Amino acid sequence: MTVTHPERTTTRLTLLVRLADWSYRRRRRVLAAWIVLLIGTVAGAGAFGGSYHFTFTTPNSDSKRAQDLLESRFTSRSGDDVNVVFESPNGTVDDPAARTAIDATLRRFGTQPHVRTVVSPFSAEGARQISRDRKVAYGTLRLDQTVSDYQQTDGKMLLDLRSQLDRPDLKVELSGFVLGNAEQSDFSSEGIGLLVAALILLVSFGSLLAMGLPIMIAVMGLGIGLSLITLLANVLEVPDFAPQVAAMIGIGVGIDYVLFIVTRYRHALHDGLEPRAAVITAITTSGRAVIFAGCTVIISLLGLFVMNLGFLRGLAVGAVSAVLVVMLASVTLLPAMLGFIGHTIDRLRVPFVNRTVSGDHRSLSYRWSRVVQKRPWPAVVVCALLLLALAAPARNMHFGFPDAGNNPSSFTTRRAYDLLSRGFGPGFNGPLLLVAQSNGAPAAGALDPVRAAVAADSDVAFVSPPIPSPDGKVAMLVTYPKSSPQDQATQDLVRRLRTDILPGPSKSAGVQVFVGGSTGASVDATAYTADRLGLFIGAVVVLSFLLLLVVFRSLLVPLKAAIMNLLSVGAAYGVVAMVVQGGWLGGLVGIHDPVPIPSFIPMMMFAILFGLSMDYEVFLLSRIREEYTRTGDNATAVADGLAHTARVITAAAAIMISVFLAFVLADQVFLKMMGVGLATAIFVDATIVRMILVPATMELLGDANWWLPRWLDRRLPRLHVEGESAETIEAELEQLLRADAAPPKAGATT
């Protein structure tokens, strides 16, 4: 493309052209502004950042009503508990030396912040807190805060004190949901993802300078995005794992977006354009597609607001912040940096790396497309069967929240979990709180038939005597299941208590009984989100269909994309379901025992993957559409489109996969799940779907791919994702250059 038509009429400059040109010409100001923004947000987060917190309460749930009663009528039991678990390996906890050490240890813990009371295993209230063999005992620290408010720094203080008090003749371990955040390691999965991404970019571009741009943009965007998340924690319920999720998404999309734009910029330079014209061309084509792709990710993430759960809102806003920052940096900071680099983009080349322009008919991608197009039916059938086989295990997904039994053995919470399970049974790691409210007689006196009915269930290990509130209107039964908190039997017990066991005795006793506690709350949160998962997925699929319908002016293209997206996500769900079963496959990512899947994981995966898969869908199909419009030959357009986009999409997918897989090294099991699931879906989307299903199905459908009823075409809005035509871009560039060459008007300042 050349810019040599002085007779062409003036064209109104688009906003994106003006933005790209301004960022290029005012590159020093743009770079300085981004540096100031980075420093300001990091400093602001350090000075005014909020605290991460995570509640399990769901609207109008049984556990929410139980917690509300405890907070209003039973404040001494409204906070969470921390168990201090003791083991006497060479004797019993009744030995004088062991008993003295236990009492001294509990006194030390009793002085820590937010510890309201301490229940000793040697007190009357703690009589059942010593195992039958007298080798294991536990004391209870009753806090005045729940996990939503308890600070990570306070948890670290408890962990540090445990390390000081632990001794060979008396083991001291801690258990409690509030310690989950404090015990996580500071290992950075983001660093590994960035390192692998740099290597892929180096091979893709063959130049150190070109490789550095996506990494720089991603790191700067990540710094600003994570700082914004910390500031947002002041006004939103942001879970502690939100920064890791945001980093996972931000690094992946940030590098991919810059990769797309830089690739188009290098092609423009190779076509003979000057750097300024090349920057504007890249931003108005690939940059426009980046904005569209980024907006789809943001819209899909914001869809999580319909769930009406505080932690999902915080998680969504945190991820949106990271995507928004890297998207804006891609169309402002990147043009500025390209202005500094200019023609030197290919300097510092790596020897022996061939960087020929993609799209050659001799390329492997073009030849592969032709092979698939010759045998489309076998390709479609084999791929469909393979994806359905991968998705099949998803039918048996067990939803729930993982407990401390899934933590590494190096964690004190895991060792405490094992001690409690061995000494008392796994259910002692997550008791159920049955909270009863009475409008008449004292609640505690009416609970004997309720207690007897609960204790008679075969899955209940023990039910405490009724514990009355100070005013007597509320009483509590602490119920210990025989199974662990994450076990399906415990979830079934909670449901059975609410529907079968409690209604009869509680009605005859004149009380209302609600099942709460952390285990009850997790069951409610699981049911709440799992019941809405299908509706959420359906809404996202419909939205993706409508967006692609407007973009590609076709009915069959968006329909195929929706079906393929479902197959990709289904395969990812199936792989995750296999991984969480443990065994050799789970062992590869550090999951050795069966683990339930938090119900928000499939929802988050689908929201993220919808936007990410749209990136590749738009870049590939838009190039196919461009070739089809030019030639009218569907088969050639598919092969050419695949050949032109294969290298950049393959590199982008490889970066995404490496970034996501780096998160399997995290301590949190749900980050491992998301890393495996997202990496699987991107791999399937970039290989089976893009390389086989797309060319095969488009070959079968032929010209029908681009069919759209005329009446619908007239009613749909016009949206050019890949930008305006080459002639329009050329005219806009020409107008900019003529304006620069024209002499200034009289009296004008320069």
Side-chain angles (χ1 to χ4, degrees):
M1 183 176 69
T2 58
V3 188
T4 56
H5 298 284
E7 73 280 5
R8 184 164 295 168
T9 58
T10 300
T11 303
R12 182 177 178 271
L13 298 179
T14 61
L15 177 61
L16 203 55
V17 169
R18 294 179 183 274
L19 177 63
D21 187 55
W22 185 88
S23 299
Y24 177 87
R25 290 186 294 106
R26 301 289 187 267
R27 45 188 172 271
R28 290 181 177 83
R29 295 182 186 179
V30 173
L31 178 59
W34 277 97
I35 292 175
V36 169
L37 181 61
L38 175 62
I39 296 174
T41 53
V42 171
F48 308 107
S51 300
Y52 300 127
H53 57 287
F54 183 11
T55 59
F56 284 109
T57 55
T58 52
N60 302 316
S61 65
D62 219 46
S63 57
K64 180 66 166 59
R65 297 187 183 98
Q67 184 62 29
D68 290 343
L69 281 176
L70 292 177
E71 291 177 353
S72 62
R73 299 292 186 88
F74 212 155
T75 56
S76 63
R77 298 300 295 265
S78 62
D80 284 344
D81 291 343
V82 173
N83 289 328
V84 185
V85 186
F86 303 95
E87 181 190 26
S88 180
N90 302 320
T92 68
V93 295
D94 298 309
D95 294 339
R99 180 165 181 163
T100 300
I102 290 173
D103 288 336
T105 299
L106 291 177
R107 282 196 299 271
R108 291 284 302 276
F109 277 110
T111 62
Q112 297 301 298
H114 302 293
V115 176
R116 191 196 304 268
T117 57
V118 179
V119 179
S120 170
F122 303 115
S123 66
E125 185 179 351
R128 290 191 57 87
Q129 295 175 193
I130 301 177
S131 64
R132 291 183 179 180
D133 62 5
R134 315 299 289 185
K135 286 185 171 294
V136 178
Y138 69 94
T140 301
L141 311 180
R142 291 192 176 134
L143 308 178
D144 60 7
Q145 292 183 338
T146 64
V147 66
S148 305
D149 308 308
Y150 196 67
Q151 298 297 311
Q152 186 175 357
T153 53
D154 294 328
K156 287 186 178 294
M157 291 175 64
L158 291 181
L159 295 175
D160 291 341
L161 182 58
R162 184 215 71 84
S163 299
Q164 299 172 23
L165 298 175
D166 190 35
R167 42 196 279 185
D169 60 334
L170 185 67
K171 295 294 183 183
V172 181
E173 308 293 353
L174 298 178
S175 73
F177 190 67
V178 295
L179 300 176
N181 301 343
E183 203 170 16
Q184 306 300 331
S185 67
D186 296 327
F187 176 79
S188 176
S189 302
E190 297 91 331
I192 294 179
L194 284 171
L195 178 61
V196 177
L199 294 175
I200 295 171
L201 288 169
L202 194 60
V203 174
S204 177
F205 285 134
S207 163
L208 287 170
L209 196 57
M211 175 270 290
L213 278 176
I215 299 297
M216 188 206 78
I217 299 294
V219 169
M220 182 168 286
L222 185 63
I224 296 172
L226 294 183
S227 299
L228 290 176
I229 293 173
T230 304
L231 292 171
L232 287 169
N234 288 297
V235 294
L236 291 173
E237 180 185 332
V238 180
D240 62 290
F241 53 87
Q244 287 89 344
V245 174
M248 182 190 302
I249 302 170
I251 292 174
V253 301
I255 293 177
D256 276 10
Y257 292 168
V258 178
L259 171 64
F260 291 141
I261 296 173
V262 170
T263 299
R264 192 63 180 253
Y265 172 77
R266 294 172 76 236
H267 284 182
L269 288 181
H270 295 161
D271 289 340
L273 291 183
E274 291 300 312
R276 180 182 176 188
V279 165
I280 295 173
T281 301
I283 295 299
T284 53
T285 53
S286 293
R288 190 185 300 265
V290 160
I291 293 175
F292 175 81
C295 288
T296 58
V297 177
I298 291 172
I299 291 171
S300 61
L301 287 170
L302 291 179
L304 292 171
F305 271 68
V306 302
M307 300 305 299
N308 195 29
L309 289 177
F311 79 92
L312 280 181
R313 287 194 293 268
L315 197 61
V317 172
V320 164
S321 300
V323 173
L324 183 61
V325 170
V326 297
M327 182 181 71
L328 293 176
S330 298
V331 295
T332 56
L333 179 58
L334 179 59
M337 297 306 301
L338 291 174
F340 287 112
I341 294 172
H343 285 290
T344 65
I345 186 74
D346 288 327
R347 288 189 179 176
L348 303 178
R349 295 179 62 84
V350 179
F352 312 114
V353 177
N354 182 22
R355 293 292 91 215
T356 57
V357 177
S358 59
D360 194 325
H361 285 193
R362 295 170 298 177
S363 67
L364 177 62
S365 302
Y366 183 89
R367 287 179 286 141
W368 171 257
S369 179
R370 287 306 195 184
V371 170
V372 173
Q373 288 173 301
K374 287 181 180 179
R375 300 172 180 83
W377 274 116
V380 170
V381 172
V382 170
C383 288
L385 291 176
L386 175 60
L387 293 178
L388 290 174
L390 286 174
R395 295 176 302 171
N396 301 318
M397 283 196 298
H398 171 208
F399 290 123
F401 282 86
D403 56 33
N406 303 117
N407 289 345
S409 57
S410 59
F411 282 19
T412 183
T413 50
R414 171 60 185 272
R415 295 192 296 269
Y417 179 96
D418 292 339
L419 285 175
L420 287 174
S421 298
R422 189 172 75 240
F424 305 92
F428 275 69
N429 286 286
L432 304 174
L433 303 183
L434 275 57
V435 183
Q437 180 182 29
S438 172
N439 295 324
L447 284 183
D448 287 340
V450 175
R451 184 191 180 204
V454 173
D457 190 273
S458 59
D459 287 330
V460 173
F462 174 72
V463 183
S464 73
I467 305 171
S469 65
D471 64 1
K473 298 295 185 181
V474 173
M476 181 173 61
L477 296 173
V478 182
T479 303
Y480 297 92
K482 291 183 178 179
S483 51
S484 68
Q486 70 177 28
D487 198 288
Q488 182 65 49
T490 303
Q491 297 183 27
D492 294 340
L493 172 62
V494 171
R495 298 186 185 98
R496 195 162 58 250
L497 286 171
R498 291 169 173 169
T499 58
D500 300 333
I501 299 175
L502 292 175
S506 60
K507 183 178 181 179
S508 62
V511 295
Q512 286 183 296
V513 184
F514 306 103
V515 182
S518 60
T519 302
S522 68
V523 171
D524 287 334
T526 296
Y528 183 87
T529 52
D531 290 345
R532 289 157 178 79
L533 179 61
L535 178 63
F536 176 78
I537 290 177
V540 171
V541 170
V542 170
L543 178 60
S544 67
F545 175 85
L546 294 176
L547 286 172
L548 290 177
L549 176 66
V550 173
V551 171
F552 295 111
R553 324 297 297 180
S554 163
L555 281 176
L556 293 180
V557 164
L559 180 61
K560 289 193 292 88
I563 294 173
M564 292 177 188
N565 194 25
L566 286 173
L567 289 173
S568 298
V569 177
Y573 286 172
V575 172
V576 170
M578 289 187 289
V579 166
V580 299
Q581 293 304 311
W584 70 268
L585 186 58
L588 295 177
V589 298
I591 299 177
H592 302 284
D593 301 311
V595 182
I597 301 173
S599 53
F600 67 86
I601 292 293
M603 194 172 298
M604 282 296 301
M605 284 175 54
F606 201 91
I608 295 168
L609 289 171
F610 161 64
L612 298 185
S613 62
M614 187 70 75
D615 292 359
Y616 307 139
E617 200 76 37
V618 167
F619 277 94
L620 172 59
L621 292 179
S622 60
R623 194 58 186 257
I624 294 175
R625 175 69 174 176
E626 179 183 335
E627 295 295 327
Y628 179 77
T629 302
R630 184 175 60 85
T631 65
D633 185 342
N634 179 75
T636 302
V638 171
D640 284 341
L642 196 65
H644 279 95
T645 59
R647 179 177 294 164
V648 65
I649 293 181
T650 299
I655 290 170
M656 283 280 194
I657 292 169
S658 64
V659 169
F660 292 150
L661 285 181
F663 281 82
V664 304
L665 302 174
D667 290 329
Q668 295 96 325
V669 69
F670 43 83
L671 286 180
K672 295 178 184 290
M673 296 179 192
M674 287 194 67
V676 169
L678 294 175
T680 299
I682 295 297
F683 177 79
V684 168
D685 195 66
T687 55
I688 298 175
V689 171
R690 178 172 59 91
M691 298 298 293
I692 304 178
L693 282 178
V694 167
T697 54
M698 297 194 79
E699 174 68 20
L700 289 172
L701 294 172
D703 292 337
N705 282 298
W706 312 109
W707 176 77
L708 184 68
R710 290 184 178 180
W711 64 267
L712 183 58
D713 184 51
R714 290 193 298 268
R715 287 167 171 78
L716 291 177
R718 299 284 173 178
L719 180 61
H720 299 284
V721 177
E722 276 293 329
E724 307 295 339
S725 65
E727 291 78 8
T728 302
I729 296 173
E730 184 177 345
E732 292 176 333
L733 291 174
E734 177 183 315
Q735 183 178 339
L736 283 173
L737 296 180
R738 283 206 310 266
D740 288 348
K745 295 181 179 180
T749 58
T750 59

